[in-house]
Amino acid sequence: MPAFSLEPSQTARCAELRALAEERLRPLAEKGEPGRVNRPLVAELGRLGLLERLFTSGALDLCLMRESLAQACTEAETALALQGLGAHPVHAHGTPAQRERWLPAVSEGSAVAAFALSEPGAGSDAAALGLRAEGEQVGTPGVRAEGEPVGRGAAEQSGAARMERGRADSEAPGTRAETQRSGSESAAPGSQAGRESVWQGAEGARAGRESVRRGAAGPSAGREPGSAAGAPARPVAVPDGAARWRLTGEKCWISNAPEADFYTVFARTTPGAGARGVTAFLVPADRPGLTGTALDMLSPHPIGALAFDAVPVSADDVLGEVDRGFRVAMDTLNLFRPSVGAFAVGMAQAALEATLAHTARRDAFGGKLRDLQSVAHTVAEMALRTDAARLMVYAAATAYDEGAPDVPKRAAMAKLLATETAQYVVDTAVQLHGARALQRGHLLEHLYREARAPRIYEGASEVQRGIIAKELYADVEVS
């Protein structure tokens, strides 16, 4: 890939977004409650047009947005990213009806989205999902809005089902992506009013629903007559023969849970089929049998657990194709992994800038801290690693936008290097600042808590190394 540099218009737009984050988003973030969805902040992201850009921008533009926001307001960055992560499967794989129902509300900030993949026993091993989708298809198979055949339930044992489960496609973790997207946009710089217009979205956002579910049982409406909570799900016959399932099991460490308005949920529709037996469903939060609890985590953004007690879903809720949900997950992760790296780079840059200011003015040992060679060399190392990570993130995002064949490897490399770099830079910045950096409310105290989680979510560092190695060896011919 050729040498990479940003266009002047891109650099200017990043500066404008940092200014907007400081002026408009940070005050709202400071009023939010840690561990809770900050709906006023999400709505403001919608008013500024940033949420709509999640569905019109390429991977590089997404990285630039996340890096810029992270430097000025990590809470705004995380709110933006979680909307994108939860809603991208709907944008990329949903039916026209699903997109029309949810994407406008996500774009304006009145609906909160979530990506529900992780489980208590299948965190990094996403192919080992245990959430069960139990049911069967009855009557004549229906047809989805875009001409895709509706799938089969776990109980179906037709020859077509066996052929489907036997397909050796690219849905397993670490395999090459089949589809990449492009569309990076640029905008011209301007004044404060101009900055707002650059990122301006549709006004008049609808009032968001406050649907916090903290352990309360869902309503019984929609259950079959005589069924009880916890009872085995029975197949549901419908007039047109469309497939229906009941979701039973748990999800854990789900960002925006339990306050999201809808979830992209990955469940097992074919037992024993590994990655090729998983289906993605769009599940509104008000479905009967869906409950959730908040988790008290080190990271300040909302994370929770979800319990599915025979939650009803149908073919109308499927994202993509039945038993092909891992493709939906990998497509989403391949897009967002480089931008997780961009989030990390933004945090590293903020820590580096704070360290430069501190060491330049701090008196120590008869001079300034920066005059000590050990300090100066350490700051140089921080800058070196941050710039190297930034370039790798931009290169991976550009590869995604260009439809390069090695996107999974590049995305894994970018996320791995950038998140490990952020951990090093923030930790080193704390060391150079001393005890003051650990005081509650200090920028570095905040970054110290924020920087740890990206090394785990959307594929832990060890998983990224596994993906990289698998991709490298795939090109090696063994004689």
PDB file of all heavy atoms in Angstrom, residues 15-43:
ATOM      1  N   ALA A  15     -10.130  19.024  13.224  1.00  0.00           N
ATOM      2  CA  ALA A  15      -9.981  20.137  14.173  1.00  0.00           C
ATOM      3  C   ALA A  15     -11.333  20.739  14.516  1.00  0.00           C
ATOM      4  O   ALA A  15     -11.609  21.087  15.680  1.00  0.00           O
ATOM      5  CB  ALA A  15      -9.061  21.199  13.577  1.00  0.00           C
ATOM      6  N   GLU A  16     -12.206  20.858  13.530  1.00  0.00           N
ATOM      7  CA  GLU A  16     -13.549  21.391  13.778  1.00  0.00           C
ATOM      8  C   GLU A  16     -14.339  20.485  14.720  1.00  0.00           C
ATOM      9  O   GLU A  16     -15.053  20.961  15.611  1.00  0.00           O
ATOM     10  CB  GLU A  16     -14.298  21.534  12.446  1.00  0.00           C
ATOM     11  CG  GLU A  16     -13.705  22.575  11.517  1.00  0.00           C
ATOM     12  CD  GLU A  16     -14.194  22.406  10.091  1.00  0.00           C
ATOM     13  OE1 GLU A  16     -15.116  21.590   9.883  1.00  0.00           O
ATOM     14  OE2 GLU A  16     -13.638  23.056   9.191  1.00  0.00           O
ATOM     15  N   LEU A  17     -14.193  19.192  14.518  1.00  0.00           N
ATOM     16  CA  LEU A  17     -14.938  18.259  15.354  1.00  0.00           C
ATOM     17  C   LEU A  17     -14.422  18.277  16.788  1.00  0.00           C
ATOM     18  O   LEU A  17     -15.211  18.193  17.732  1.00  0.00           O
ATOM     19  CB  LEU A  17     -14.844  16.852  14.770  1.00  0.00           C
ATOM     20  CG  LEU A  17     -15.661  15.764  15.488  1.00  0.00           C
ATOM     21  CD1 LEU A  17     -17.106  16.210  15.673  1.00  0.00           C
ATOM     22  CD2 LEU A  17     -15.610  14.461  14.714  1.00  0.00           C
ATOM     23  N   ARG A  18     -13.120  18.413  16.954  1.00  0.00           N
ATOM     24  CA  ARG A  18     -12.582  18.527  18.324  1.00  0.00           C
ATOM     25  C   ARG A  18     -13.140  19.767  19.013  1.00  0.00           C
ATOM     26  O   ARG A  18     -13.476  19.736  20.204  1.00  0.00           O
ATOM     27  CB  ARG A  18     -11.056  18.556  18.288  1.00  0.00           C
ATOM     28  CG  ARG A  18     -10.416  17.220  17.958  1.00  0.00           C
ATOM     29  CD  ARG A  18      -8.932  17.220  18.264  1.00  0.00           C
ATOM     30  NE  ARG A  18      -8.199  18.174  17.447  1.00  0.00           N
ATOM     31  CZ  ARG A  18      -7.685  17.900  16.242  1.00  0.00           C
ATOM     32  NH1 ARG A  18      -7.859  16.689  15.713  1.00  0.00           N
ATOM     33  NH2 ARG A  18      -7.017  18.810  15.569  1.00  0.00           N
ATOM     34  N   ALA A  19     -13.237  20.871  18.262  1.00  0.00           N
ATOM     35  CA  ALA A  19     -13.784  22.097  18.845  1.00  0.00           C
ATOM     36  C   ALA A  19     -15.252  21.923  19.209  1.00  0.00           C
ATOM     37  O   ALA A  19     -15.699  22.355  20.283  1.00  0.00           O
ATOM     38  CB  ALA A  19     -13.611  23.258  17.858  1.00  0.00           C
ATOM     39  N   LEU A  20     -16.022  21.284  18.330  1.00  0.00           N
ATOM     40  CA  LEU A  20     -17.427  21.030  18.641  1.00  0.00           C
ATOM     41  C   LEU A  20     -17.567  20.135  19.865  1.00  0.00           C
ATOM     42  O   LEU A  20     -18.460  20.333  20.700  1.00  0.00           O
ATOM     43  CB  LEU A  20     -18.119  20.372  17.448  1.00  0.00           C
ATOM     44  CG  LEU A  20     -18.653  21.291  16.349  1.00  0.00           C
ATOM     45  CD1 LEU A  20     -19.256  20.467  15.227  1.00  0.00           C
ATOM     46  CD2 LEU A  20     -19.678  22.261  16.904  1.00  0.00           C
ATOM     47  N   ALA A  21     -16.704  19.136  19.971  1.00  0.00           N
ATOM     48  CA  ALA A  21     -16.768  18.229  21.117  1.00  0.00           C
ATOM     49  C   ALA A  21     -16.512  18.973  22.419  1.00  0.00           C
ATOM     50  O   ALA A  21     -17.180  18.725  23.432  1.00  0.00           O
ATOM     51  CB  ALA A  21     -15.759  17.097  20.946  1.00  0.00           C
ATOM     52  N   GLU A  22     -15.559  19.879  22.400  1.00  0.00           N
ATOM     53  CA  GLU A  22     -15.259  20.647  23.603  1.00  0.00           C
ATOM     54  C   GLU A  22     -16.389  21.610  23.954  1.00  0.00           C
ATOM     55  O   GLU A  22     -16.728  21.789  25.123  1.00  0.00           O
ATOM     56  CB  GLU A  22     -13.954  21.415  23.410  1.00  0.00           C
ATOM     57  CG  GLU A  22     -12.722  20.519  23.336  1.00  0.00           C
ATOM     58  CD  GLU A  22     -11.461  21.295  23.023  1.00  0.00           C
ATOM     59  OE1 GLU A  22     -11.564  22.532  22.805  1.00  0.00           O
ATOM     60  OE2 GLU A  22     -10.374  20.677  22.984  1.00  0.00           O
ATOM     61  N   GLU A  23     -16.985  22.234  22.936  1.00  0.00           N
ATOM     62  CA  GLU A  23     -17.985  23.271  23.183  1.00  0.00           C
ATOM     63  C   GLU A  23     -19.384  22.720  23.420  1.00  0.00           C
ATOM     64  O   GLU A  23     -20.126  23.251  24.261  1.00  0.00           O
ATOM     65  CB  GLU A  23     -18.035  24.229  21.978  1.00  0.00           C
ATOM     66  CG  GLU A  23     -16.734  24.971  21.740  1.00  0.00           C
ATOM     67  CD  GLU A  23     -16.685  25.609  20.362  1.00  0.00           C
ATOM     68  OE1 GLU A  23     -17.728  25.601  19.660  1.00  0.00           O
ATOM     69  OE2 GLU A  23     -15.610  26.108  19.974  1.00  0.00           O
ATOM     70  N   ARG A  24     -19.757  21.660  22.727  1.00  0.00           N
ATOM     71  CA  ARG A  24     -21.131  21.185  22.753  1.00  0.00           C
ATOM     72  C   ARG A  24     -21.314  19.835  23.452  1.00  0.00           C
ATOM     73  O   ARG A  24     -22.371  19.604  24.063  1.00  0.00           O
ATOM     74  CB  ARG A  24     -21.649  21.062  21.306  1.00  0.00           C
ATOM     75  CG  ARG A  24     -21.655  22.361  20.506  1.00  0.00           C
ATOM     76  CD  ARG A  24     -22.900  23.159  20.785  1.00  0.00           C
ATOM     77  NE  ARG A  24     -24.086  22.469  20.296  1.00  0.00           N
ATOM     78  CZ  ARG A  24     -24.544  22.554  19.049  1.00  0.00           C
ATOM     79  NH1 ARG A  24     -23.934  23.315  18.163  1.00  0.00           N
ATOM     80  NH2 ARG A  24     -25.645  21.911  18.691  1.00  0.00           N
ATOM     81  N   LEU A  25     -20.330  18.964  23.321  1.00  0.00           N
ATOM     82  CA  LEU A  25     -20.525  17.600  23.803  1.00  0.00           C
ATOM     83  C   LEU A  25     -19.976  17.371  25.210  1.00  0.00           C
ATOM     84  O   LEU A  25     -20.601  16.678  26.011  1.00  0.00           O
ATOM     85  CB  LEU A  25     -19.883  16.616  22.825  1.00  0.00           C
ATOM     86  CG  LEU A  25     -20.450  16.658  21.401  1.00  0.00           C
ATOM     87  CD1 LEU A  25     -19.673  15.730  20.477  1.00  0.00           C
ATOM     88  CD2 LEU A  25     -21.929  16.291  21.397  1.00  0.00           C
ATOM     89  N   ARG A  26     -18.812  17.923  25.499  1.00  0.00           N
ATOM     90  CA  ARG A  26     -18.232  17.687  26.822  1.00  0.00           C
ATOM     91  C   ARG A  26     -19.130  18.183  27.946  1.00  0.00           C
ATOM     92  O   ARG A  26     -19.279  17.493  28.966  1.00  0.00           O
ATOM     93  CB  ARG A  26     -16.842  18.326  26.919  1.00  0.00           C
ATOM     94  CG  ARG A  26     -16.132  17.958  28.239  1.00  0.00           C
ATOM     95  CD  ARG A  26     -14.837  18.717  28.404  1.00  0.00           C
ATOM     96  NE  ARG A  26     -13.849  18.303  27.425  1.00  0.00           N
ATOM     97  CZ  ARG A  26     -12.692  18.941  27.231  1.00  0.00           C
ATOM     98  NH1 ARG A  26     -12.414  20.036  27.934  1.00  0.00           N
ATOM     99  NH2 ARG A  26     -11.823  18.497  26.345  1.00  0.00           N
ATOM    100  N   PRO A  27     -19.755  19.389  27.847  1.00  0.00           N
ATOM    101  CA  PRO A  27     -20.661  19.811  28.932  1.00  0.00           C
ATOM    102  C   PRO A  27     -21.796  18.822  29.178  1.00  0.00           C
ATOM    103  O   PRO A  27     -22.174  18.574  30.335  1.00  0.00           O
ATOM    104  CB  PRO A  27     -21.188  21.164  28.432  1.00  0.00           C
ATOM    105  CG  PRO A  27     -20.120  21.681  27.526  1.00  0.00           C
ATOM    106  CD  PRO A  27     -19.598  20.456  26.837  1.00  0.00           C
ATOM    107  N   LEU A  28     -22.344  18.233  28.119  1.00  0.00           N
ATOM    108  CA  LEU A  28     -23.396  17.238  28.301  1.00  0.00           C
ATOM    109  C   LEU A  28     -22.847  15.963  28.911  1.00  0.00           C
ATOM    110  O   LEU A  28     -23.502  15.317  29.747  1.00  0.00           O
ATOM    111  CB  LEU A  28     -24.052  16.926  26.948  1.00  0.00           C
ATOM    112  CG  LEU A  28     -24.892  18.043  26.331  1.00  0.00           C
ATOM    113  CD1 LEU A  28     -25.319  17.663  24.921  1.00  0.00           C
ATOM    114  CD2 LEU A  28     -26.111  18.340  27.198  1.00  0.00           C
ATOM    115  N   ALA A  29     -21.646  15.582  28.513  1.00  0.00           N
ATOM    116  CA  ALA A  29     -21.036  14.378  29.074  1.00  0.00           C
ATOM    117  C   ALA A  29     -20.788  14.531  30.562  1.00  0.00           C
ATOM    118  O   ALA A  29     -20.981  13.579  31.343  1.00  0.00           O
ATOM    119  CB  ALA A  29     -19.724  14.077  28.351  1.00  0.00           C
ATOM    120  N   GLU A  30     -20.378  15.702  30.979  1.00  0.00           N
ATOM    121  CA  GLU A  30     -20.084  15.931  32.397  1.00  0.00           C
ATOM    122  C   GLU A  30     -21.340  15.883  33.255  1.00  0.00           C
ATOM    123  O   GLU A  30     -21.258  15.617  34.461  1.00  0.00           O
ATOM    124  CB  GLU A  30     -19.385  17.285  32.558  1.00  0.00           C
ATOM    125  CG  GLU A  30     -17.970  17.295  31.974  1.00  0.00           C
ATOM    126  CD  GLU A  30     -17.342  18.681  31.971  1.00  0.00           C
ATOM    127  OE1 GLU A  30     -18.083  19.665  32.235  1.00  0.00           O
ATOM    128  OE2 GLU A  30     -16.134  18.780  31.710  1.00  0.00           O
ATOM    129  N   LYS A  31     -22.499  16.095  32.652  1.00  0.00           N
ATOM    130  CA  LYS A  31     -23.758  16.032  33.398  1.00  0.00           C
ATOM    131  C   LYS A  31     -24.325  14.607  33.453  1.00  0.00           C
ATOM    132  O   LYS A  31     -25.284  14.354  34.172  1.00  0.00           O
ATOM    133  CB  LYS A  31     -24.798  16.953  32.752  1.00  0.00           C
ATOM    134  CG  LYS A  31     -24.439  18.428  32.807  1.00  0.00           C
ATOM    135  CD  LYS A  31     -25.478  19.277  32.083  1.00  0.00           C
ATOM    136  CE  LYS A  31     -25.106  20.745  32.088  1.00  0.00           C
ATOM    137  NZ  LYS A  31     -26.092  21.574  31.341  1.00  0.00           N
ATOM    138  N   GLY A  32     -23.750  13.707  32.695  1.00  0.00           N
ATOM    139  CA  GLY A  32     -24.263  12.347  32.646  1.00  0.00           C
ATOM    140  C   GLY A  32     -23.911  11.542  33.880  1.00  0.00           C
ATOM    141  O   GLY A  32     -22.996  11.882  34.633  1.00  0.00           O
ATOM    142  N   GLU A  33     -24.637  10.461  34.081  1.00  0.00           N
ATOM    143  CA  GLU A  33     -24.397   9.558  35.210  1.00  0.00           C
ATOM    144  C   GLU A  33     -23.548   8.386  34.735  1.00  0.00           C
ATOM    145  O   GLU A  33     -23.917   7.690  33.793  1.00  0.00           O
ATOM    146  CB  GLU A  33     -25.729   9.036  35.754  1.00  0.00           C
ATOM    147  CG  GLU A  33     -25.581   8.099  36.935  1.00  0.00           C
ATOM    148  CD  GLU A  33     -26.917   7.581  37.425  1.00  0.00           C
ATOM    149  OE1 GLU A  33     -27.958   8.130  37.016  1.00  0.00           O
ATOM    150  OE2 GLU A  33     -26.921   6.597  38.202  1.00  0.00           O
ATOM    151  N   PRO A  34     -22.385   8.158  35.358  1.00  0.00           N
ATOM    152  CA  PRO A  34     -21.536   7.037  34.923  1.00  0.00           C
ATOM    153  C   PRO A  34     -22.301   5.720  34.942  1.00  0.00           C
ATOM    154  O   PRO A  34     -23.072   5.444  35.861  1.00  0.00           O
ATOM    155  CB  PRO A  34     -20.408   7.037  35.964  1.00  0.00           C
ATOM    156  CG  PRO A  34     -20.352   8.449  36.456  1.00  0.00           C
ATOM    157  CD  PRO A  34     -21.782   8.922  36.458  1.00  0.00           C
ATOM    158  N   GLY A  35     -22.098   4.931  33.902  1.00  0.00           N
ATOM    159  CA  GLY A  35     -22.761   3.648  33.825  1.00  0.00           C
ATOM    160  C   GLY A  35     -24.169   3.689  33.290  1.00  0.00           C
ATOM    161  O   GLY A  35     -24.835   2.651  33.230  1.00  0.00           O
ATOM    162  N   ARG A  36     -24.648   4.865  32.894  1.00  0.00           N
ATOM    163  CA  ARG A  36     -25.989   5.003  32.329  1.00  0.00           C
ATOM    164  C   ARG A  36     -25.905   5.601  30.931  1.00  0.00           C
ATOM    165  O   ARG A  36     -24.995   6.370  30.626  1.00  0.00           O
ATOM    166  CB  ARG A  36     -26.867   5.906  33.209  1.00  0.00           C
ATOM    167  CG  ARG A  36     -27.178   5.367  34.591  1.00  0.00           C
ATOM    168  CD  ARG A  36     -28.109   4.171  34.534  1.00  0.00           C
ATOM    169  NE  ARG A  36     -29.352   4.480  33.841  1.00  0.00           N
ATOM    170  CZ  ARG A  36     -30.422   5.020  34.429  1.00  0.00           C
ATOM    171  NH1 ARG A  36     -30.392   5.313  35.727  1.00  0.00           N
ATOM    172  NH2 ARG A  36     -31.524   5.249  33.741  1.00  0.00           N
ATOM    173  N   VAL A  37     -26.854   5.266  30.075  1.00  0.00           N
ATOM    174  CA  VAL A  37     -26.928   5.878  28.756  1.00  0.00           C
ATOM    175  C   VAL A  37     -27.238   7.363  28.924  1.00  0.00           C
ATOM    176  O   VAL A  37     -28.197   7.733  29.606  1.00  0.00           O
ATOM    177  CB  VAL A  37     -28.008   5.198  27.891  1.00  0.00           C
ATOM    178  CG1 VAL A  37     -28.213   5.967  26.588  1.00  0.00           C
ATOM    179  CG2 VAL A  37     -27.618   3.755  27.592  1.00  0.00           C
ATOM    180  N   ASN A  38     -26.424   8.197  28.314  1.00  0.00           N
ATOM    181  CA  ASN A  38     -26.612   9.648  28.378  1.00  0.00           C
ATOM    182  C   ASN A  38     -27.421  10.056  27.150  1.00  0.00           C
ATOM    183  O   ASN A  38     -26.876  10.400  26.101  1.00  0.00           O
ATOM    184  CB  ASN A  38     -25.248  10.342  28.401  1.00  0.00           C
ATOM    185  CG  ASN A  38     -25.354  11.842  28.656  1.00  0.00           C
ATOM    186  OD1 ASN A  38     -26.348  12.468  28.318  1.00  0.00           O
ATOM    187  ND2 ASN A  38     -24.317  12.407  29.238  1.00  0.00           N
ATOM    188  N   ARG A  39     -28.740  10.028  27.273  1.00  0.00           N
ATOM    189  CA  ARG A  39     -29.597  10.300  26.121  1.00  0.00           C
ATOM    190  C   ARG A  39     -29.485  11.731  25.609  1.00  0.00           C
ATOM    191  O   ARG A  39     -29.546  11.947  24.392  1.00  0.00           O
ATOM    192  CB  ARG A  39     -31.042   9.914  26.429  1.00  0.00           C
ATOM    193  CG  ARG A  39     -31.225   8.388  26.479  1.00  0.00           C
ATOM    194  CD  ARG A  39     -32.665   7.970  26.655  1.00  0.00           C
ATOM    195  NE  ARG A  39     -32.777   6.506  26.670  1.00  0.00           N
ATOM    196  CZ  ARG A  39     -33.079   5.755  25.628  1.00  0.00           C
ATOM    197  NH1 ARG A  39     -33.302   6.325  24.459  1.00  0.00           N
ATOM    198  NH2 ARG A  39     -33.150   4.443  25.730  1.00  0.00           N
ATOM    199  N   PRO A  40     -29.340  12.738  26.461  1.00  0.00           N
ATOM    200  CA  PRO A  40     -29.110  14.089  25.912  1.00  0.00           C
ATOM    201  C   PRO A  40     -27.844  14.169  25.068  1.00  0.00           C
ATOM    202  O   PRO A  40     -27.828  14.856  24.036  1.00  0.00           O
ATOM    203  CB  PRO A  40     -29.010  14.963  27.173  1.00  0.00           C
ATOM    204  CG  PRO A  40     -29.822  14.244  28.192  1.00  0.00           C
ATOM    205  CD  PRO A  40     -29.575  12.788  27.927  1.00  0.00           C
ATOM    206  N   LEU A  41     -26.795  13.456  25.469  1.00  0.00           N
ATOM    207  CA  LEU A  41     -25.564  13.438  24.679  1.00  0.00           C
ATOM    208  C   LEU A  41     -25.790  12.743  23.344  1.00  0.00           C
ATOM    209  O   LEU A  41     -25.336  13.222  22.294  1.00  0.00           O
ATOM    210  CB  LEU A  41     -24.462  12.734  25.471  1.00  0.00           C
ATOM    211  CG  LEU A  41     -23.107  12.580  24.775  1.00  0.00           C
ATOM    212  CD1 LEU A  41     -22.509  13.942  24.453  1.00  0.00           C
ATOM    213  CD2 LEU A  41     -22.151  11.770  25.644  1.00  0.00           C
ATOM    214  N   VAL A  42     -26.502  11.620  23.362  1.00  0.00           N
ATOM    215  CA  VAL A  42     -26.795  10.906  22.117  1.00  0.00           C
ATOM    216  C   VAL A  42     -27.640  11.781  21.195  1.00  0.00           C
ATOM    217  O   VAL A  42     -27.397  11.842  19.979  1.00  0.00           O
ATOM    218  CB  VAL A  42     -27.517   9.576  22.415  1.00  0.00           C
ATOM    219  CG1 VAL A  42     -27.952   8.890  21.122  1.00  0.00           C
ATOM    220  CG2 VAL A  42     -26.622   8.644  23.224  1.00  0.00           C
ATOM    221  N   ALA A  43     -28.619  12.483  21.757  1.00  0.00           N
ATOM    222  CA  ALA A  43     -29.459  13.356  20.946  1.00  0.00           C
ATOM    223  C   ALA A  43     -28.651  14.490  20.331  1.00  0.00           C
ATOM    224  O   ALA A  43     -28.886  14.882  19.178  1.00  0.00           O
ATOM    225  CB  ALA A  43     -30.605  13.911  21.802  1.00  0.00           C
TER     226      ALA A  43
END
